[in-house]
């Protein structure tokens, strides 16, 4: 298998690079995550990429987050900024519908990322409060899913949540799956199951070895399997099923073939987060070393406009295994969340593909 990048794709990458640089310059906020709680009703094996804040930390009061929204509103196009509830599991809070309704009144579209355990029973209320987007985690068939989520009824509730979403209109939704050793061989059958279920948008991601995931070998795919996964996603797309690989990682010759676009990390460029303790970050997965401020001492919009310099100029990542790499101009050191406390890169997807291709 040839992993080289052809001339046509290189030219397209150069064009996309210029578009991305302009996006960095403008840094128009398009997605704001609210990590509204660290509490959760499952105990996923792959959770905890940065475990510095205890789940005992109290939930942020809704009023504190809405204050951030009201301070931000004069500086953004509310119709183009998606607010996304995440956690923990956002729906362990009983006021998500109330907060969603307040966002709706302010003309913000909003969505939620959920493990599905409480989602189906609350869906009508969420829709009545203005829900516009949803992501449900479904990590394979029942045994595989429940193994990952460590909850005996997780699959049943997640499946029901997906079935209820198929009946909705006006909600953009997808299913997200963590590819791992437990479900890897069954992904083709799982694809058919999802299609029969009515799923039209499927997102697959892999786990990087940090937090709990670092000590569970079953969560990691081999490099050869990673290449097989890219082939699987590409084939699904060619068949007309809208499957995509997660946003992390430059993928070499697979660029624009397993996603709708070329790779870019939009953390701090068009994506920001307000975390449970008030920290301001790029996305919820990024380590505490890269937090840019805190809503309890800074104005969010000031931090967004004047901060995030390590996110917007990533030349500092040109070190270690990235130094001298000809692909750095396109990947800029991979995703921010893939760098450890010292700034060193934890995973290079391009390198994985090169090594995995040699093994086939």
């Amino acid at each position: 298998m040839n992993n080289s990048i052809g001339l046509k794709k290189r030219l397209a990458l150069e064009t996309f690079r210029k578009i991305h640089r302009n996006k960095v310059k403008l840094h128009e906020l398009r997605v704001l995550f609210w990590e509204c709680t660290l509490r959760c009703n499952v105990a996923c094996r792959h959770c905890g990429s940065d475990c510095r804040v205890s789940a005992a930390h109290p939930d942020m009061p809704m009023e504190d987050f809405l204050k951030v929204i009201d301070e931000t509103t004069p500086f953004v196009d509310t119709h183009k900024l998606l607010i996304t509830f995440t956690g923990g599991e956002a729906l362990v809070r009983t006021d998500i519908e109330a907060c969603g309704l307040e966002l709706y009144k302010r003309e913000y579209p909003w969505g939620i990322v959920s493990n599905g355990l409480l989602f189906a029973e609350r869906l009508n209320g969420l829709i009545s409060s203005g829900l516009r987007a949803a992501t449900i985690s479904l990590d394979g068939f029942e045994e595989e899913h429940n193994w990952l989520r460590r909850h005996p009824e997780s699959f049943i509730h997640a499946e029901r949540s997906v079935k209820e979403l198929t009946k909705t209109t006006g909600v953009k939704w997808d299913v997200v799956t963590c590819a791992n050793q437990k479900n890897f061989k069954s992904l083709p059958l799982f694809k058919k199951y999802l299609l029969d279920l009515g799923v039209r948008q499927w997102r697959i991601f892999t786990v990087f070895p940090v937090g709990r995931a670092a000590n569970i070998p079953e969560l990691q795919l081999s490099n050869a399997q990673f290449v097989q996964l890219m082939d699987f996603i590409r084939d699904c797309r060619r068949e007309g099923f809208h499957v995509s690989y997660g946003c992390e990682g430059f993928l070499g010759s697979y660029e624009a073939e397993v996603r709708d676009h070329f790779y870019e990390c939009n953390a701090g460029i068009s994506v920001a987060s307000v975390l449970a303790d008030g920290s301001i970050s790029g996305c919820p997965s990024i380590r505490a070393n890269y937090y840019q401020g805190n809503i309890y001492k800074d104005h969010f919009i000031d931090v967004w406009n004047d901060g995030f310099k390590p996110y917007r100029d990533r030349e500092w990542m040109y070190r270690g295994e990235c130094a001298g790499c000809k692909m750095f101009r396109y990947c800029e050191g991979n995703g921010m969340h893939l760098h450890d406390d010292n700034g060193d890169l934890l995973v290079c997807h391009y390198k994985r593909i090169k090594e995995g291709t040699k093994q086939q």
Side-chain angles (χ1 to χ4, degrees):
M1 185 182 295
N2 186 3
N3 189 45
S4 62
I5 302 175
L7 177 60
K8 184 177 179 181
K9 185 165 288 188
R10 282 185 179 271
L11 291 173
L13 280 166
E14 287 294 335
T15 299
F16 188 80
R17 179 173 178 266
K18 293 177 182 177
I19 294 171
H20 178 73
R21 296 314 304 167
N22 187 59
K23 184 186 290 188
V24 172
K25 183 179 179 180
L26 295 174
H27 52 266
E28 296 175 336
L29 187 61
R30 290 289 179 258
V31 178
L32 176 60
F33 287 96
W34 181 29
E35 186 186 59
C36 60
T37 183
L38 290 173
R39 294 181 293 132
C40 194
N41 47 14
V42 296
C44 303
R45 296 180 190 273
H46 61 312
C47 186
S49 59
D50 190 359
C51 304
R52 297 190 175 198
V53 183
S54 169
H57 192 283
D59 296 349
M60 179 185 291
M62 179 179 75
E63 293 75 17
D64 293 0
F65 180 67
L66 289 176
K67 183 173 183 286
V68 172
I69 294 299
D70 290 337
E71 290 174 349
T72 302
T73 296
F75 303 96
V76 298
D77 183 340
T78 60
H79 301 135
K80 295 181 179 180
L81 174 53
L82 176 67
I83 312 297
T84 302
F85 296 94
T86 186
E89 167 58 36
L91 288 176
V92 300
R93 292 184 61 138
T94 59
D95 60 353
I96 295 299
E97 293 86 348
C99 189
L101 185 59
E102 290 300 320
L103 293 173
Y104 178 76
K105 291 176 181 177
R106 291 159 170 80
E107 301 187 0
Y108 283 94
W110 64 273
I112 192 167
V113 178
S114 176
N115 60 36
L117 208 62
L118 301 171
F119 184 84
E121 64 192 63
R122 304 226 342 231
L123 180 56
N124 288 338
L126 294 169
I127 291 175
S128 297
S129 300
L131 179 72
R132 290 293 175 268
T135 292
I136 301 297
S137 295
L138 198 54
D139 299 295
F141 294 110
E142 186 166 10
E143 181 179 350
E144 302 157 352
H145 177 91
N146 289 348
W147 171 83
L148 186 67
R149 300 287 161 176
R150 296 203 294 187
H151 190 294
E153 297 179 359
S154 179
F155 177 84
I156 293 173
H157 288 281
E159 181 186 55
R160 181 185 168 210
S161 296
V162 173
K163 287 179 178 179
E164 292 301 315
L165 277 168
T166 64
K167 303 173 187 178
T168 64
T169 58
V171 178
K172 183 178 180 180
W173 61 275
D174 66 354
V175 165
V176 63
T177 298
C178 173
N180 58 75
Q181 291 292 343
K182 291 286 188 178
N183 65 15
F184 182 73
K185 291 182 179 179
S186 63
L187 285 177
L189 284 176
F190 190 61
K191 176 192 75 171
K192 183 180 184 304
Y193 158 80
L194 290 178
L195 285 169
D196 291 343
L197 203 59
V199 174
R200 295 296 174 261
Q201 304 277 341
W202 185 23
R203 190 155 35 97
I204 300 175
F205 71 99
T206 49
V207 177
F208 54 101
V210 176
R212 294 180 195 168
N215 301 312
I216 306 175
E218 294 95 334
L219 289 175
Q220 310 299 324
L221 298 182
S222 70
N223 291 336
Q225 287 174 322
F226 187 74
V227 172
Q228 292 172 36
L229 180 64
M230 295 301 105
D231 290 337
F232 171 73
I233 294 173
R234 182 181 60 190
D235 291 344
C236 287
R237 293 172 67 89
R238 288 175 176 175
E239 294 168 3
F241 188 13
H242 195 275
V243 185
S244 62
Y245 182 64
C247 61
E248 63 182 44
F250 177 75
L251 301 172
S253 62
Y254 290 101
E255 282 299 313
E257 296 184 20
V258 295
R259 301 188 187 102
D260 294 344
H261 49 76
F262 289 106
Y263 168 74
E264 59 181 341
C265 176
N266 283 315
I269 295 166
S270 60
V271 177
S273 299
V274 173
L275 304 182
D277 64 352
S279 296
I280 300 169
S281 184
C283 78
S285 299
I286 293 172
R287 304 179 74 78
N289 292 44
Y290 307 104
Y291 293 171
Q292 297 296 291
N294 192 291
I295 65 166
Y296 293 113
K297 63 183 181 65
D298 306 300
H299 288 293
F300 171 84
I301 195 63
D302 291 340
V303 174
W304 177 254
N305 287 332
D306 303 325
F308 288 95
K309 289 180 173 54
Y311 293 74
R312 296 169 188 168
D313 182 359
R314 302 193 183 185
E315 286 300 317
W316 63 271
M317 293 183 178
Y318 192 68
R319 52 186 282 189
E321 65 180 294
C322 292
C325 179
K326 295 179 181 179
M327 295 298 110
F328 185 84
R329 66 189 289 106
Y330 306 128
C331 82
E332 295 187 328
N334 261 9
M336 286 288 295
H337 70 296
L338 295 174
H339 289 260
D340 66 14
D341 292 345
N342 298 317
D344 296 325
L345 182 63
L346 294 165
V347 178
C348 173
H349 294 71
Y350 180 64
K351 181 179 179 180
R352 292 195 71 189
I353 289 171
K354 287 198 297 182
E355 294 180 352
T357 300
K358 292 177 182 177
Q359 296 168 8
Q360 290 189 327

